[in-house]
Amino acid sequence: MKTLIRNTASSILLVTLVIIVIAANSTYTIHTMDELASLERRLFTTNQVINSINTLHLAVLRTESGQRGFLLADRERYLVDYEKTLDKVNNIIEQVEANAIRSDFTEQEVRLQQLVDLSKAKLSELIETVELTRQGRKDEALAIFQSDVGLALYREFENVFADIVGQEYELQQQHIDSLLKLRSDSVTNLIISSLTTGLLVISIFVLLRMNIRETIRHRRELQQHNLVLESRVKERTVELQVFAEELSRSNRELEDFAFVASHDLQEPLRKIRAFGNRISTGYGDALDERGQDFLRRMLNAAERMSMLISDLLSFSRVTTRGKDFEETDLNEIVRSVLEDLEITIEESQANIEIDTLPVMKADASQMNQLFLNLLSNALKFTKPDQPPHITLGYEAIDDNEAETLHLLPGLSWFKLTLQDNGIGFEQTFAEKIFAPFQRLHGRSEYKGTGIGLAVCRRIIERHNGTIEAFSEPGQGAKFELFLPEDGQPFTNLQQQGVISHAE
């Protein structure tokens, strides 16, 4: 048990470590990917800024070159490239402004906007001189061209351009350094992950070897226990064979006793009763009152002993003379019993209610005796001032309820409930009433030998069932019978079990 707990704890710890390592590696990988995406976005923005301002710078230079050629040579062909550049310059300026908005630095954003404003001013100055020349006002255009306004604008444009490019190259270098550091950290993390994964694999291998060794050891211990258990089973099987033989011998002796009781013991009793009746008939007048009382007591005792022997014979024959089980309709059995008790039922004005009963595998004669004994008792132990009211109810039992009641598994069970409104008895005597020759009342109150319920229990047990009694004085009695629909004789099951073990 301790080893199992230790192995379980080791497995849980190892799984926890694996989860932690995987989670840490996943978290670091996601962080690295996010950082890489951020650096790529920044490098892309930096390259876009540099490309856009270079394009703007080139556009300003090409426009100025076309303007100079046109003013100095007075030829329209110099304006071809000038006009093409002007057609594109608005898109270039929009791109620079968009990059200014995406810039991560406010100072750089201001510079880009300043560069755009200077380029617009410079282009306006160039366009003005070209248009004046086209209108024939070349002198005014040359005056503007020869002034320092355009030169000042270009110098300022160049200074701002140089600052932006320098700043962007510096940012680009920083991003490249960050990428290199990220690469170095990723390599380090990969090495650490490889080492931890290797250690985990080794740990798993070691743990598996430990578990395999423990499993082998437990298997050997289990085999040893199985050998010991098999030895004990063999010993118990031998004991069961001895008990079975003893039981068989006891049954034979019981059968012999039943034979003696039915023949040898009954014969002297018949003679005692016969000669006692002759004395009572032929010599009754010769006996005084005391002698007649002795004779009457002797005859009564002989009759009771004959009844006891007959009942004991019936009790013993439940198992020794039981018939094979066959499909038995309990409705027919109860109907036959009620016909036998018809006179008693009419005399007592009894009210009997019977549910529809099932068909079961049973010894029909013993089922007849069972219901005859139970119904006879219910009709006998009644209140003098109240007609008997007897109910026999039926209820099917499912597998879950059967398991709760600890009934034999694998059979289809049902419950019969026989209830009356008779005199009842103390619940403390609920087991005593099923013992042979146990009576709760004197012979003068109620006739009988006290073996009827003992026979009922023996019949129920032979049918693999159980019977229980519940009562209170003056509140009637209730008997609950649990029986299987598809059972086999209990003694046959026992013998089959012993034989199978012996084989």
Side-chain angles (χ1 to χ4, degrees):
M1 186 64 182
K2 292 182 179 179
T3 304
L4 179 61
I5 295 174
R6 185 171 63 253
N7 291 340
T8 303
S10 301
S11 301
I12 293 174
L13 178 61
L14 190 59
V15 170
T16 304
L17 289 175
V18 170
I19 293 173
I20 291 173
V21 170
I22 292 175
N25 289 337
S26 300
T27 303
Y28 182 80
T29 301
I30 293 172
H31 173 72
T32 302
M33 292 177 65
D34 291 341
E35 188 68 23
L36 181 61
S38 176
L39 288 173
E40 288 179 348
R41 180 181 59 81
R42 292 174 186 173
L43 279 172
F44 180 74
T45 302
T46 302
N47 290 331
Q48 278 192 324
V49 170
I50 293 173
N51 291 334
S52 63
I53 62 174
N54 282 332
T55 304
L56 181 60
H57 183 224
L58 182 60
V60 171
L61 290 178
R62 293 180 69 178
T63 305
E64 186 177 22
S65 175
Q67 178 247 14
R68 285 176 182 273
F70 176 68
L71 291 178
L72 295 176
D74 197 15
R75 293 181 180 179
E76 286 289 336
R77 64 186 181 87
Y78 285 103
L79 294 180
V80 175
D81 191 54
Y82 164 84
E83 290 177 351
K84 288 182 180 179
T85 304
L86 285 179
D87 291 338
K88 299 177 181 178
V89 75
N90 287 331
N91 292 333
I92 298 171
I93 290 174
E94 289 177 0
Q95 187 176 1
V96 173
E97 288 177 339
N99 290 331
I101 295 173
R102 289 197 296 267
S103 179
D104 295 332
F105 299 94
T106 305
E107 183 180 352
Q108 194 75 339
E109 183 180 353
V110 172
R111 287 175 182 166
L112 287 171
Q113 190 59 48
Q114 184 180 0
L115 184 67
V116 169
D117 294 338
L118 288 172
S119 63
K120 288 180 179 180
K122 178 62 178 176
L123 290 172
S124 297
E125 182 262 336
L126 295 174
I127 293 171
E128 183 182 2
T129 57
V130 172
E131 292 302 320
L132 287 173
T133 302
R134 283 179 171 177
Q135 294 173 8
R137 299 161 62 186
K138 188 174 182 179
D139 293 338
E140 294 179 18
L142 288 174
I144 296 172
F145 176 73
Q146 292 175 356
S147 67
D148 295 334
V149 176
L151 182 60
L153 286 173
Y154 182 74
R155 285 178 179 174
E156 190 174 355
F157 179 85
E158 282 286 337
N159 291 333
V160 175
F161 173 79
D163 291 340
I164 293 174
V165 171
Q167 184 66 38
E168 291 299 323
Y169 278 130
E170 184 178 347
L171 290 173
Q172 193 176 54
Q173 187 61 44
Q174 290 178 3
H175 296 334
I176 292 173
D177 292 340
S178 298
L179 280 174
L180 293 175
K181 184 176 182 302
L182 187 62
R183 178 181 178 276
S184 177
D185 293 343
S186 299
V187 172
T188 303
N189 180 66
L190 180 61
I191 294 173
I192 294 174
S193 299
S194 300
L195 291 175
T196 53
T197 303
L199 290 175
L200 287 175
V201 170
I202 293 173
S203 301
I204 292 173
F205 178 74
V206 172
L207 184 62
L208 286 175
R209 289 201 61 183
M210 291 174 58
N211 288 336
I212 291 173
R213 289 179 179 176
E214 290 294 331
T215 302
I216 294 174
R217 187 175 64 83
H218 285 305
R219 186 177 298 171
R220 290 174 178 172
E221 291 179 356
L222 183 61
Q223 290 176 350
Q224 186 65 28
H225 288 309
N226 287 337
L227 292 176
V228 174
L229 184 60
E230 287 178 2
S231 175
R232 292 180 179 177
V233 168
K234 290 180 179 178
E235 294 176 0
R236 182 62 63 183
T237 302
V238 172
E239 293 178 2
L240 287 175
Q241 287 178 330
V242 174
F243 290 149
E245 293 174 358
E246 183 67 22
L247 180 61
S248 178
R249 185 183 62 80
S250 298
N251 287 336
R252 288 195 301 271
E253 291 178 354
L254 184 60
E255 290 182 359
D256 294 340
F257 169 76
F259 178 80
V260 171
S262 61
H263 293 84
D264 297 350
L265 293 181
Q266 289 283 16
E267 183 62 25
L269 284 175
R270 281 194 294 270
K271 288 184 179 180
I272 291 174
R273 293 172 63 186
F275 285 115
N277 289 329
R278 289 181 182 180
I279 293 174
S280 177
T281 303
Y283 302 95
D285 296 337
L287 297 175
D288 59 8
E289 184 176 351
R290 188 176 181 185
Q292 291 180 357
D293 180 61
F294 288 160
L295 180 61
R296 185 170 55 254
R297 290 185 182 184
M298 181 190 70
L299 291 174
N300 290 337
E303 183 178 0
R304 286 199 308 274
M305 187 170 182
S306 178
M307 291 176 60
L308 286 173
I309 293 173
S310 297
D311 290 342
L312 183 61
L313 182 63
S314 299
F315 181 75
S316 66
R317 284 178 174 175
V318 171
T319 54
T320 59
R321 298 292 178 89
K323 298 178 181 179
D324 293 336
F325 283 12
E326 58 185 6
E327 295 292 331
T328 303
D329 188 351
L330 297 185
N331 297 287
E332 295 294 333
I333 297 296
V334 173
R335 189 178 298 112
S336 174
V337 170
L338 292 178
E339 290 177 358
D340 294 340
L341 298 173
E342 182 178 3
I343 296 176
T344 305
I345 294 173
E346 290 179 356
E347 290 177 351
S348 62
Q349 298 180 349
N351 179 23
I352 302 178
E353 299 177 4
I354 309 292
D355 286 351
T356 301
L357 304 179
V359 176
M360 65 175 292
K361 287 185 177 180
D363 184 336
S365 61
Q366 290 186 352
M367 286 290 108
N368 188 284
Q369 186 176 6
L370 169 69
F371 288 108
L372 179 62
N373 290 352
L374 291 175
L375 291 172
S376 297
N377 280 353
L379 292 170
K380 178 168 61 175
F381 297 102
T382 59
K383 298 176 183 178
D385 56 345
Q386 186 175 3
H389 180 73
I390 304 169
T391 60
L392 179 58
Y394 163 77
E395 179 184 351
I397 297 177
D398 57 26
D399 293 339
N400 293 331
E401 188 177 358
E403 184 178 358
T404 303
L405 296 171
H406 305 290
L407 300 176
L408 189 66
L411 299 175
S412 299
W413 290 88
F414 64 90
K415 180 174 78 170
L416 300 179
T417 304
L418 182 70
Q419 191 162 4
D420 60 52
N421 62 341
I423 60 175
F425 54 85
E426 292 285 351
Q427 186 62 32
T428 54
F429 299 126
E431 284 297 319
K432 182 180 179 181
I433 61 175
F434 292 109
F437 308 115
Q438 293 294 324
R439 298 174 53 89
L440 302 183
H441 308 280
R443 285 188 297 270
S444 60
E445 297 179 78
Y446 298 98
K447 295 181 179 180
T449 59
I451 203 170
L453 290 179
V455 173
C456 289
R457 168 167 280 185
R458 193 147 190 175
I459 291 173
I460 291 290
E461 289 176 348
R462 182 171 182 256
H463 288 75
N464 300 288
T466 61
I467 182 171
E468 296 180 359
F470 305 92
S471 181
E472 292 181 12
Q475 301 299 319
K478 180 174 71 173
F479 292 86
E480 291 185 352
L481 291 70
F482 295 90
L483 288 166
E485 295 182 6
D486 50 351
Q488 295 183 16
F490 181 69
T491 51
N492 289 356
L493 290 177
Q494 281 186 320
Q495 292 171 4
Q496 291 172 8
V498 171
I499 293 172
S500 63
H501 282 302
E503 292 176 352

